[in-house]
Amino acid sequence: MTPENARAGTGLFLAAEWRRLVLLSYETDPDALRPLVPRGVELDTWDGRHLVSMVGFRFLDTRLLGVPVPFHRDFDEINLRFYVRRRADDGWRRGVVFVKEIVPRWALATVARVAYGENYVARPMRHRIDLHDGEVTPGGLVEYAWRDAGAWHRVGATVRGGAEPLVAGSQEEFVTEHYWGYAAQRGGGTVEYQVEHPSWQVRQAGDPVLVCDVAAVYGRPFAESLGAEPFSTFVADGSPVVVRRGARL
């Protein structure tokens, strides 16, 4: 589903499947986020908490403008994001702002930078997904890694149960159900774009892993929050998604 107040986008830009998402969320000082908030939106909170999330997932069967791109259909992405909202004529639009998005191929990063002004970079990447759905007690490891600043970094968690629907009002719902993206543009202004997908099923997880030189990769303002224990850890099964063309606010 998409939010009830979401209107039609400005046309299809990208269609794909996002699968096996591992999401580690951390409470952070809003002062670390405010310089990155695009014009026209404001910080969003869950239960009064400002959160940032490390997210790793598989991009599968990717189609750009409806066309599959050879050698660029299946790949990993890792991003650091935080949560915002914007009051539009049709009500509140809840969205995300990406601090940095990492993919394994320079062409992918270039298209995203040009189309939306997002902070995409290309880095060597790898993953390990070892889920055991058929066992009496489902579980397994979901982990993504990338090479940056001269070292390998990784984010992951161990699943501790089967897939369950989202609980209304939960932090899992807050983290996964922001259906708009916002990107600050050079010279001022903001691009807004819509992301459509059904509500995801999620799996509780533990043993969160974030091995990262945060200051080198994301900047010193995030070192303290990402160096603490995550506020929440879970894995989402994912679904097909559609990303609409952006519109400048």
Side-chain angles (χ1 to χ4, degrees):
M1 65 179 179
T2 55
E4 292 181 1
N5 65 348
R7 59 180 172 82
T10 55
L12 174 67
F13 177 72
L14 179 146
E17 294 190 18
W18 293 351
R19 296 292 183 182
R20 301 309 193 202
L21 298 93
V22 59
L23 301 103
L24 276 58
S25 296
Y26 300 79
E27 190 168 2
T28 192
D29 186 338
D31 286 342
L33 304 177
R34 288 192 178 101
L36 303 177
V37 175
R39 185 180 302 172
V41 303
E42 62 184 55
L43 291 172
D44 198 3
T45 61
W46 183 81
D47 196 26
R49 295 176 169 90
H50 293 85
L51 302 179
V52 293
S53 298
M54 285 290 305
V55 183
F57 63 101
R58 293 284 287 151
F59 238 114
L60 303 176
D61 194 24
T62 305
R63 296 170 182 267
L64 186 64
L65 302 176
V67 179
V69 182
F71 310 112
H72 293 77
R73 293 183 66 179
D74 300 341
F75 54 92
D76 298 340
E77 178 176 314
I78 295 170
N79 62 61
L80 177 65
R81 70 191 200 184
F82 63 93
Y83 304 93
V84 297
R85 63 180 186 170
R86 181 176 83 87
R87 177 154 325 255
D89 292 340
D90 52 4
W92 284 109
R93 294 180 176 178
R94 303 176 72 183
V96 301
V97 175
F98 294 101
V99 178
K100 180 182 286 187
E101 296 163 277
I102 302 169
V103 291
R105 297 181 184 273
W106 69 266
L108 300 168
T110 300
V111 167
R113 286 197 301 267
V114 171
Y116 295 108
E118 295 281 21
N119 185 22
Y120 266 85
V121 297
R123 300 288 186 266
M125 300 182 73
R126 62 193 184 198
H127 67 266
R128 179 182 172 187
I129 300 174
D130 187 20
L131 290 180
H132 312 297
D133 288 324
E135 297 186 358
V136 175
T137 304
L141 178 69
V142 179
E143 183 177 276
Y144 297 88
W146 75 103
R147 185 169 179 81
D148 199 353
W152 278 97
H153 314 271
R154 55 194 174 99
V155 57
T158 301
V159 176
R160 292 182 173 171
E164 300 287 346
L166 289 168
V167 174
S170 66
Q171 52 85 16
E172 291 92 348
E173 182 188 54
F174 175 84
V175 168
T176 60
E177 299 210 337
H178 278 66
Y179 290 99
W180 298 88
Y182 294 95
Q185 304 298 289
R186 291 184 179 179
T190 300
V191 163
E192 174 189 67
Y193 56 93
Q194 187 179 356
V195 180
E196 301 173 6
H197 63 75
S199 183
W200 290 334
Q201 293 206 325
V202 298
R203 303 163 184 258
Q204 296 305 308
D207 302 323
V209 172
L210 178 59
V211 177
C212 178
D213 184 344
V214 174
V217 176
Y218 296 110
R220 292 190 180 279
F222 295 99
E224 182 176 354
S225 56
L226 296 184
E229 284 296 309
F231 175 75
S232 73
T233 301
F234 65 94
V235 169
D237 282 357
S239 70
V241 300
V242 167
V243 179
R244 298 290 176 183
R245 292 177 182 269
R248 198 174 185 104
L249 299 180

